[in-house]
Amino acid sequence: MARNTGWKMETTCHGLVLACLLTLFTGLGAAGQICPSPVLTSPLDGAVNVPVDADISWNQVPNVPGYIISLGTTPGGTDLLDEKFVGSATTYNPPVGLPENTTIHVTITLFDFQNGNIEIPCESESFTTTSITEAPACAQLNVPSNGQTDVNPATNLSWGYVPGAIGYRLTIGTSPGGGEILPTTDLQNTLSYDPPAEFPPNSPIYVRLTAYNLLGDATSCTDFSFTTSELAALPGCTFLISPLDGEINVPVTPILEWAPVPGATGYRITVGNSPFTAEILDNVAFPPVTQTGILELEANRTFFITIVPFNEAGEAIGCEQESFTTLQGCGPFFDAMTGDLITLNPMIDIPDTISTCASEFPLVYTSPDVADGYRWFRIDVNGNETLISDTQTVSFAGSGSYRYEAYTLIPQSGNLECPTSKVFTVESSEIPVITSVDVTEQANGIRIAVNASGSGDYEYAIDSSSGPYQDSNVFTNIPYGTHTLYVRDRNGCGIAEEQIVQDLTLEGFPKFFSPNGDGINDYWQYIPPEFNGDITLVSIEIFNRYGQFLVRIDPTSRGWDGTIKGMDLPASDYWFRARSSTDQEMTGHFSLKR
């Protein structure tokens, strides 16, 4: 929403929700600004007996470029001042003062005119002015000044505010005290007068200015006078041709062009980041040309420009301020033609990890992306970056962290770079080394866990070098026998293999026994198979299903009869742990049947 604040602004939302949402996330709302508490610093909220000419000040909010102030006689009211934009200032002096003995409600609105005119109104605060107890002092004519000569006949009159005054009476004549040009006229509470016609040339002009309030007129005041110059025509105002007033997506190195003005001998140009500043050009005089270049401006920003023609008679009067907005840099920004959000940064397709074999360093890698330029950086352990390539191809000297950047150039804005960046890792792999193989018995075979070391990313297979391979290093329910295990580096750096033979000793432990006195399987004991690998057992321990130790038996005895201290144990599953003379440990389970 554009506001009538005495200057022109073109909203960038175009009435579309998508563009406005983008502005909300990139502008004032994204920074998380909130109204201060309290808002006012002078006068304070609730203050009384405040002078009618008091300045109104408020707390500054970080990252807020502008403020709007409203004054009213009710909370949130605007009957005294309707939403006045004051730029980045945090103090406002009401030019005609404040009414006496009145509660004044002040509403401050945070306003980001650089990012879509986002507004955050703060809660109103109030104070009460003092009562006026005497007539006002005399008013002073400011323009022209008293006694000034060679005043342009087309000049306007202006004077300063008198505290306590509620109006001014003005008389203008060609003789002292005369009213030939303007009989005594009540101008009410204004501070300037624009004569309907030019003053007579080469003539003395006499001005009587009387301030008044409900208690009376100012007394013992002095009249003012000035002398006009030869009649000369002031130049008229001009307007922007390029860029047009309110134009968006203007290049950041624009050529300013304006309409020529007949009779102008030059132009004064002011360009600023706000309606009240002049950071770019500060009332700089140009000869009678109609265009000029500007050094590179900031992207995605609104600039305010005033062009005032002048000649020997003076400067043009009442020239309006105009504005334009530079292109949104790299975006995203709204394309009014397509209704899309446009981003000028390139798309990149660099993986999170680039892997290679340690023997292949230095590794030469070429970006698959299409862009106008490329940069590659190595990141050290402290986070510092070092540029290692500014072409599409890079050579990695070793593993580590890197950052890749691809960018496009926008020629119409001074070759502005629009980059896309990503941090990734280069990993080196090597052929694995099998360090151990763990075998344990299961109900339907054996469980094999193969352990490998190395700096690679490995996968595992059994009995075939061509796979299938799996991520897990554990194989379950494998039949007894001879097996070959394979560990392969995913990056093709090699395959390690190792053959194992099923541990036959596990076959010597019965799967069940039935101690019922029939002379068959009445005892549970290890029975060495025909081939036991020369393994000699030194102890066998038996546990119940809950892991509680029950009994230890001698491998050379008849075995366990299913009792503890003469008591029969119930039919159930039991576990054993056997240890060999070479300190090899074997575990398994069996069933007691009754």
Side-chain angles (χ1 to χ4, degrees):
M1 177 177 66
R3 295 194 165 274
N4 181 15
T5 55
W7 47 274
K8 296 182 179 180
M9 173 161 294
E10 182 75 16
T11 176
T12 59
C13 284
H14 300 284
L16 294 179
V17 173
L18 185 60
C20 290
L21 284 177
L22 172 65
T23 301
L24 284 172
F25 281 110
T26 58
L28 189 68
Q33 288 88 349
I34 58 175
C35 293
S37 180
V39 177
L40 295 179
T41 59
S42 178
L44 293 175
D45 184 29
V48 296
N49 294 324
V50 175
V52 295
D53 61 341
D55 291 343
I56 300 174
S57 301
W58 55 91
N59 280 301
Q60 186 178 33
V61 180
N63 301 318
V64 171
Y67 303 89
I68 296 171
I69 181 173
S70 295
L71 302 178
T73 54
T74 59
T78 60
D79 50 307
L80 299 180
L81 181 67
D82 187 5
E83 296 191 322
K84 173 70 175 178
F85 178 66
V86 296
S88 60
T90 56
T91 296
Y92 177 73
N93 177 254
V96 294
L98 298 168
E100 65 167 321
N101 194 26
T102 302
T103 298
I104 308 297
H105 297 268
V106 182
T107 304
I108 301 297
T109 299
L110 314 184
F111 184 39
D112 189 348
F113 54 84
Q114 294 289 3
N115 288 293
N117 297 356
I118 302 170
E119 300 180 12
I120 301 178
C122 301
E123 186 175 354
S124 296
E125 295 182 352
S126 65
F127 58 85
T128 302
T129 55
T130 188
S131 297
I132 300 299
T133 59
E134 58 185 7
C138 294
Q140 297 294 318
L141 185 68
N142 293 334
V143 177
S145 61
N146 188 35
Q148 185 175 343
T149 59
D150 291 327
V151 175
N152 192 292
T155 191
N156 297 332
L157 305 185
S158 64
W159 52 92
Y161 163 68
V162 177
I166 62 172
Y168 304 87
R169 298 185 182 92
L170 180 65
T171 306
I172 306 175
T174 55
S175 61
E180 298 88 353
I181 297 176
L182 179 71
T184 300
T185 301
D186 187 354
L187 301 180
Q188 299 183 356
N189 200 15
T190 60
L191 301 178
S192 64
Y193 176 69
D194 182 7
E198 296 178 348
F199 293 115
N202 294 323
S203 301
I205 306 298
Y206 298 90
V207 177
R208 175 169 295 172
L209 187 62
T210 304
Y212 67 87
N213 61 22
L214 296 178
L215 298 178
D217 295 352
T219 58
S220 302
C221 298
T222 303
D223 292 346
F224 305 95
S225 67
F226 58 89
T227 304
T228 57
S229 62
E230 290 283 352
L231 185 64
L234 289 174
C237 292
T238 184
F239 57 89
L240 279 174
I241 296 176
S242 178
L244 293 173
D245 182 28
E247 186 173 343
I248 63 174
N249 289 340
V250 175
V252 296
T253 54
I255 299 297
L256 300 182
E257 185 176 0
W258 56 92
V261 175
T265 60
Y267 302 87
R268 296 189 182 277
I269 301 179
T270 299
V271 181
N273 295 330
S274 79
F276 305 101
T277 57
E279 297 90 346
I280 314 302
L281 294 175
D282 188 2
N283 201 33
V284 176
F286 286 82
V289 296
T290 56
Q291 66 177 26
T292 183
I294 293 185
L295 296 178
E296 186 168 340
L297 300 174
E298 184 178 348
N300 195 25
R301 194 175 185 99
T302 299
F303 294 90
F304 301 85
I305 178 170
T306 303
I307 304 176
V308 180
F310 64 87
N311 58 20
E312 63 277 3
E315 296 183 347
I317 297 174
C319 297
E320 292 186 343
Q321 189 175 72
E322 299 177 284
S323 67
F324 60 87
T325 302
T326 51
L327 59 85
Q328 280 85 347
C330 302
F333 61 89
F334 177 71
D335 186 339
M337 296 295 294
T338 64
D340 296 329
L341 291 178
I342 305 300
T343 300
L344 302 181
N345 306 72
M347 299 290 291
I348 62 174
D349 190 25
I350 294 294
D352 295 332
T353 302
I354 297 176
S355 299
T356 187
C357 300
S359 60
E360 294 181 0
F361 284 116
L363 174 66
V364 177
Y365 185 86
T366 300
S367 167
D369 305 322
V370 177
D372 293 325
Y374 308 85
R375 296 187 185 95
W376 304 84
F377 301 87
R378 179 171 184 127
I379 305 174
D380 65 21
V381 294
N382 296 318
N384 300 313
E385 294 185 347
T386 302
L387 179 67
I388 59 176
S389 176
D390 57 4
T391 66
Q392 192 171 1
T393 299
V394 65
S395 177
F396 299 115
S399 58
S401 294
Y402 295 83
R403 185 173 69 85
Y404 164 71
E405 181 180 273
Y407 60 87
T408 54
L409 297 174
I410 307 177
Q412 69 269 29
S413 62
N415 281 337
L416 173 69
E417 290 186 4
C418 293
T420 304
S421 179
K422 180 176 182 177
V423 175
F424 63 96
T425 301
V426 174
E427 292 184 350
S428 63
S429 295
E430 60 184 2
I431 188 171
V433 175
I434 297 177
T435 57
S436 64
V437 177
D438 298 328
V439 180
T440 55
E441 184 188 30
Q442 293 182 303
N444 298 318
I446 56 175
R447 175 185 182 274
I448 302 174
V450 54
N451 303 305
S453 65
S455 61
D457 184 12
Y458 302 138
E459 55 187 359
Y460 306 85
I462 188 169
D463 293 335
S464 175
S465 61
S466 58
Y469 281 85
Q470 63 183 42
D471 294 335
S472 174
N473 68 326
V474 176
F475 301 90
T476 60
N477 298 321
I478 303 301
Y480 291 96
T482 300
H483 300 281
T484 303
L485 303 168
Y486 298 92
V487 184
R488 181 173 69 178
D489 177 64
R490 295 179 188 271
N491 299 301
C493 298
I495 300 177
E497 64 180 79
E498 183 167 328
Q499 186 180 77
I500 65 167
V501 178
Q502 169 191 0
D503 189 355
L504 298 178
T505 57
L506 293 179
E507 295 183 359
F509 295 96
K511 297 298 182 183
F512 70 92
F513 78 117
S514 55
N516 55 11
D518 63 355
I520 302 174
N521 296 326
D522 285 337
Y523 294 88
W524 185 89
Q525 178 60 284
Y526 171 69
I527 303 173
E530 292 184 12
F531 174 76
N532 65 2
D534 295 328
I535 292 177
T536 302
L537 299 184
V538 296
S539 68
I540 301 174
E541 297 174 328
I542 298 175
F543 304 81
N544 65 13
R545 60 187 300 180
Y546 304 107
Q548 294 175 319
F549 173 75
L550 300 177
V551 65
R552 179 181 291 107
I553 63 175
D554 187 337
T556 62
S557 68
R558 286 195 303 175
W560 184 44
D561 62 0
T563 66
I564 296 294
K565 297 182 179 180
M567 295 180 60
D568 291 340
L569 293 186
S572 181
D573 286 337
Y574 294 84
W575 289 83
F576 70 90
R577 180 173 61 194
R579 188 175 302 278
S580 72
S581 59
T582 59
D583 207 34
Q584 180 181 355
E585 185 176 280
M586 290 156 283
T587 61
H589 62 89
F590 60 95
S591 297
L592 187 157
K593 299 181 179 181
R594 293 201 181 270

